[in-house]
């Protein structure tokens, strides 16, 4: 079968007009002779009746002591409402359709309620329905344990559902529909002339997603990459083909464009704090003590630099006071800088290319922006700046690498 997986997010299903656009995309796919699996998120955003955040608020307003298992049971309701609604709309148009929960679709997870990992997918029931000419609607964001308890997959879980189903069904492509036209070179709220990318590699978009771009969840990209399933990030409100995400060596007509583009995009996120801990004379286990303590207290660390004289790393702003208290109890006197921002310069083509870091420093120096810390990998260079400098930093780097062209 020629199978296509389409995923529609909450804004794509939030009102009558948006749902009409969803129906058009489904009809277009059927006209191209695809067997179609549609993954849906809960409708709307926080404050709207069936949105996930609204359900979380409901829990908070009613004691906020719901156990994780029962919390997942409630949070699964939003996607079930979306699936049933879309099924009704398709049937009203004479399009045969069936709605399945994640469990009914064969998605088995571990029992990490609230952030479950998919263990396996048995897509037999989906395949039977596709063979019978049905559009199969599957609730995103959820699965079941081996003991048949509901689980949710954490933030971005519907994206992961879509690519995992694409892999299990050997789909030709997975379409992720959002409220933007594809993957852009930077956040358009920061950079007005941010440009849509026609094609990117899995590693590039995965890095962009990890470091601030919110168009698609990195877990979903990793699943698709491992299965070599292409992803298209598209707008629900346009017929444009959006951005294709695939392996660079799977691209023929655009191969040179990918190899010649040193920098693909700029991502950023704020609300992070830098912690510096210096090692005293004769102290050789500082790194072990610091990071073991952070792990034991479930504090996520990032942007890590380790050297013989000490360690430098970042935590979320809201974790800073707790992290400092823990370090003080260990006898350390950390130096802290709060309200920082991490800016990421991402591009699969810059590995081994001299001068990239020089251009970054030049762009920021011209704007009188201090670099508090830096690090790099094969495809990404990160710089830490003051939070008040983040917007100017992103714009300066976007200009320096001419990403608007």
């Amino acid at each position: 079968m020629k199978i296509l997986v389409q995923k529609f997010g909450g804004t794509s299903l939030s009102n009558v007009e948006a749902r009409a656009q969803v129906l058009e995309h489904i009809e277009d796919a059927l006209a191209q002779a695809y067997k179609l699996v549609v993954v849906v998120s809960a409708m709307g955003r926080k404050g709207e009746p069936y949105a996930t955040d609204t359900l979380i608020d409901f829990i908070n307003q009613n004691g906020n002591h719901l156990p994780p298992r029962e919390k997942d049971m409630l949070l699964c309701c939003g996607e079930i409402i979306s699936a049933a609604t879309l099924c009704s709309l398709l049937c009203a148009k004479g399009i045969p359709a069936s709605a399945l929960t994640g469990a009914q679709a064969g998605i088995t997870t571990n029992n990490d309620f609230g952030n479950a990992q998919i263990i396996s997918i048995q897509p037999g029931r989906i395949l039977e329905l596709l063979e019978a000419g049905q559009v199969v609607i599957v609730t995103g964001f959820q699965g079941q344990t081996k003991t048949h308890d509901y689980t949710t997959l954490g933030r971005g879980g519907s994206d992961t559902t879509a690519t995992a189903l694409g892999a299990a069904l050997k789909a030709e492509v997975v379409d992720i529909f959002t409220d933007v036209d594809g993957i852009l070179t930077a956040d358009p709220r920061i950079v007005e002339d941010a440009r849509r990318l026609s094609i990117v590699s899995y590693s590039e978009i995965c890095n962009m997603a990890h470091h601030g771009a919110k168009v698609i969840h990195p877990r979903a990209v990793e699943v698709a990459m491992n299965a070599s399933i292409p992803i298209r990030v598209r707008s629900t409100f346009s017929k444009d083909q959006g951005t294709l995400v695939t392996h660079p060596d799977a691209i023929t007509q655009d191969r040179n464009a990918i190899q010649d583009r040193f920098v693909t995009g700029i991502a950023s996120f704020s609300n992070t704090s830098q912690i510096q801990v210096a090692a005293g004379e004769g102290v050789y286990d500082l790194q072990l003590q610091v990071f073991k303590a952070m792990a034991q207290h479930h504090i996520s660390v990032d942007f890590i630099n380790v050297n013989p004289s000490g360690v430098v790393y970042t935590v979320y702003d809201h974790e800073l006071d707790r992290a400092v208290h823990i370090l003080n109890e260990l006898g350390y006197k950390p130096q802290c800088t709060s309200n920082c921002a991490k800016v990421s310069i991402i591009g699969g083509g810059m590995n081994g290319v001299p001068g990239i870091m020089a251009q970054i420093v030049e762009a920021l120096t011209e704007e009188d922006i201090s670099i508090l810390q830096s690090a790099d990998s094969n495809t990404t260079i990160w710089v830490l700046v003051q939070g008040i400098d983040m917007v100017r930093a992103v714009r300066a780097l976007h200009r320096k690498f001419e990403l608007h062209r």
Side-chain angles (χ1 to χ4, degrees):
M1 287 187 284
K2 179 183 171 185
I3 296 174
L4 172 67
V5 177
Q6 294 180 330
K7 179 263 177 178
F8 293 98
T11 55
S12 300
L13 299 160
S14 60
N15 56 53
V16 172
E17 293 77 14
R19 291 192 286 272
Q21 296 293 319
V22 169
L23 293 174
E24 284 192 23
H25 286 296
I26 290 173
E27 290 175 317
D28 288 346
L30 294 174
Q32 297 173 55
Y34 279 112
K35 298 291 187 180
L36 192 58
V37 176
V38 180
V39 176
V40 293
S41 297
M43 293 182 191
R45 297 279 172 86
K46 185 174 182 177
E48 297 180 76
Y50 311 120
T52 301
D53 283 333
T54 302
L55 295 175
I56 292 172
D57 282 348
F58 181 76
I59 295 170
N60 294 339
Q61 293 162 11
N62 289 275
N64 197 25
H65 282 81
L66 193 62
R69 174 185 172 276
E70 284 71 19
K71 184 175 182 179
D72 272 8
M73 187 185 303
L74 174 62
L75 295 185
C76 286
C77 294
E79 282 72 23
I80 292 173
I81 291 169
S82 291
T85 300
L86 184 57
C87 184
S88 178
L89 291 170
L90 288 171
C91 291
K93 293 178 74 70
I95 299 173
S98 294
L100 301 177
T101 65
Q104 292 165 343
I107 300 173
T108 301
T109 74
N110 63 14
N111 60 357
D112 184 9
F113 297 105
N115 194 34
Q117 301 285 319
I118 295 174
I119 296 172
S120 65
I121 297 180
Q122 302 297 325
R125 188 170 182 181
I126 295 176
L127 290 168
E128 289 177 5
L129 291 169
L130 293 176
E131 288 277 14
Q134 301 265 321
V135 172
V136 182
I137 305 161
V138 178
T139 55
F141 179 62
Q142 61 183 250
Q144 69 169 353
T145 66
K146 292 179 179 179
T147 53
H148 310 295
D149 289 321
Y150 283 109
T151 55
T152 63
L153 307 181
R155 288 300 186 185
S158 292
D159 290 347
T160 305
T161 299
T163 56
L165 285 173
L169 295 165
K170 296 181 173 57
E172 291 197 0
V173 67
V174 174
D175 280 343
I176 304 291
F177 285 96
T178 72
D179 53 2
V180 296
D181 290 330
I183 298 164
L184 305 183
T185 51
D187 186 336
R189 295 169 297 181
I190 295 176
V191 180
E192 290 184 358
D193 58 355
R195 179 176 55 86
R196 181 177 61 82
L197 296 162
S198 61
I199 191 165
V200 296
S201 69
Y202 292 116
S203 60
E204 287 173 321
I205 186 52
C206 201
N207 277 318
M208 292 178 78
H210 271 299
H211 301 298
K214 296 180 174 63
V215 175
I216 184 171
H217 198 278
R219 278 171 64 187
V221 180
E222 289 163 1
V223 169
M225 178 171 61
N226 290 336
S228 295
I229 303 292
I231 303 170
R232 289 182 301 200
V233 179
R234 305 177 59 189
S235 170
T236 304
F237 310 99
S238 167
K239 298 293 186 180
D240 195 283
Q241 291 301 298
T243 300
L244 176 66
V245 184
T246 187
H247 285 296
D249 58 7
I251 302 160
T252 54
Q253 67 272 22
D254 290 308
R255 180 175 293 168
N256 291 332
I258 274 209
Q259 291 179 338
D260 290 343
R261 184 179 64 226
F262 298 143
V263 174
T264 301
I266 313 294
S268 61
F269 70 82
S270 55
N271 302 318
T272 189
S273 294
Q274 184 192 59
I275 298 176
Q276 301 183 57
V277 188
E281 188 174 346
V283 176
Y284 301 106
D285 61 347
L286 176 142
Q287 294 92 342
L288 175 61
Q289 287 191 34
V290 168
F291 294 123
K292 187 175 181 180
M294 296 296 107
Q296 287 173 341
H297 289 84
H298 306 289
I299 295 177
S300 176
V301 300
D302 189 25
F303 216 150
I304 302 165
N305 294 140
V306 176
N307 58 68
S309 62
V311 297
V312 183
Y313 62 99
T314 61
V315 298
Y316 292 117
D317 278 343
H318 70 269
E319 294 280 27
L320 178 60
D321 289 345
R322 196 158 65 96
V324 169
H325 177 73
I326 293 165
L327 293 170
N328 287 338
E329 287 190 332
L330 291 173
Y332 298 118
K333 296 180 179 179
Q335 293 184 347
C336 305
T337 305
S338 59
N339 300 316
C340 297
K342 182 178 179 182
V343 179
S344 305
I345 300 90
I346 298 157
M350 67 184 181
N351 184 27
V353 177
I356 300 294
M357 189 63 193
Q359 292 183 70
I360 293 170
V361 173
E362 184 178 49
L364 298 182
T365 300
E366 288 171 352
E367 295 290 327
D368 294 322
I369 297 172
S370 297
I371 298 174
L372 305 178
Q373 190 179 344
S374 68
D376 69 278
S377 71
N378 287 340
T379 59
T380 308
I381 296 174
W382 304 274
V383 293
L384 191 71
V385 300
Q386 296 281 359
I388 58 173
D389 293 330
M390 184 187 77
V391 170
R392 289 192 301 121
V394 171
R395 289 173 178 169
L397 292 165
H398 199 271
R399 285 195 305 271
K400 174 61 72 175
F401 291 104
E402 300 182 336
L403 296 180
H404 60 285
R405 294 188 177 181

